[in-house]
Amino acid sequence: MVGDGRQKSSSSGGRRRRAGPVVAWAVRRALLTAARRLDLKAREVLFHAGDPGEGCYLLRRGVVKASVIARDGQERLLAVLGPGSLIGELSLIDGQPRSATVSALKACRLLYLPAATFFRLADADLLVYREALQILARRLRETNELVLAQGTVPVAGRVARAFTTLGQGLGVEHPGGRVLIASKITQADIAGMAGVARENASRAINELLRDGILGREGSFYVIARPDELMELSEI
């Protein structure tokens, strides 16, 4: 579930901002030719943490979230992923159980590639292996950045990073550059993504609202000044 590309597509009322792991053509071609289609309804679970990892998925349409259950029994949101994201590739490579639960935030269409099929295709075209290595390397770099942020970025910056990620995955860009996060996000979700206590996340969110960097439209958050939010999130 990694990548550094961004995709934008039109949607009613604004432009949807897509960001996430975009799969290069070598892997995409293998998926398109050998995978089977799978549709999910909103809130439907793709797989649970601990399930056998028997293949990977390419998200063609929709948005999913990856989460785990913390020791206190609360769900902790790890990531929000949009079209082009590769899901479950770690379990495909190492054969270990799923490390997180993935479920649909909106109706989704995916392509599923069993592990046996992936390795057969990769053995026939070494470019598939090369792309898989690049995907894993990008994921490792992102993990390193997160670890660094835990030790060097203040709470406000980590909360800003969480909102930036959500804006990239779920955001609808409105006139003037404002980005509506078109899904209900709780303070517990932000705390989980930022790796901070809920109380600390709440204080940071209130500061961002007070400063006008964030706003609210009904029950949804709005990134009112995306550039400033991005600056706060930088390591």
Side-chain angles (χ1 to χ4, degrees), residues 13-226:
R15 289 182 297 162
R16 174 137 340 247
R17 297 160 60 92
R18 299 293 190 194
V22 176
V23 183
W25 174 242
V27 174
R28 188 182 299 120
R29 180 180 60 192
L31 286 166
L32 290 173
T33 56
R36 63 178 176 84
R37 197 181 82 181
L38 174 67
D39 292 329
L40 293 180
K41 299 177 182 178
R43 295 183 294 278
E44 190 172 356
V45 174
L46 179 62
F47 54 73
H48 290 92
D51 284 351
E54 299 172 341
C56 67
Y57 300 83
L58 174 64
L59 181 59
R60 299 296 305 279
R61 187 174 70 210
V63 181
V64 302
K65 68 175 180 178
S67 62
V68 295
I69 301 300
R71 291 183 178 180
D72 60 6
Q74 298 297 311
E75 182 185 44
R76 175 167 290 184
L77 184 64
L78 300 177
V80 172
L81 304 170
S85 299
L86 191 63
I87 301 167
E89 75 283 358
L90 284 183
S91 292
L92 179 144
I93 296 297
D94 65 13
Q96 296 299 306
R98 304 296 189 188
S99 59
T101 296
V102 174
S103 56
L105 287 173
K106 298 185 177 183
C108 294
R109 174 160 294 173
L110 307 99
L111 293 177
Y112 173 67
L113 188 70
T117 304
F118 171 84
F119 286 113
R120 174 174 57 80
L121 292 168
D123 287 343
D125 184 353
L126 296 182
L127 288 176
V128 176
Y129 278 125
R130 179 179 295 181
E131 174 61 19
L133 287 173
Q134 290 176 346
I135 288 172
L136 294 176
R138 289 198 296 268
R139 178 167 182 163
L140 180 58
R141 287 182 183 276
E142 289 184 346
T143 300
N144 288 343
E145 288 183 2
L146 289 173
V147 171
L148 179 60
Q150 294 291 330
T152 60
V153 178
V155 170
R158 286 146 69 178
V159 167
R161 286 171 67 90
F163 274 107
T164 297
T165 298
L166 290 169
Q168 292 171 349
L170 293 171
V172 176
E173 189 172 329
H174 286 189
R178 299 171 75 251
V179 178
L180 173 69
I181 300 177
S183 184
K184 288 187 177 181
I185 302 298
T186 68
Q187 292 184 350
D189 290 332
I190 298 299
M193 291 185 71
V196 301
R198 182 173 178 177
E199 296 78 8
N200 293 337
S202 177
R203 283 194 292 269
I205 291 169
N206 288 334
E207 289 178 4
L208 291 169
L209 289 168
R210 186 176 60 248
D211 293 342
I213 296 174
L214 291 182
R216 299 281 293 191
E217 285 189 13
S219 58
F220 299 141
Y221 284 104
V222 175
I223 302 174
R225 302 206 293 270

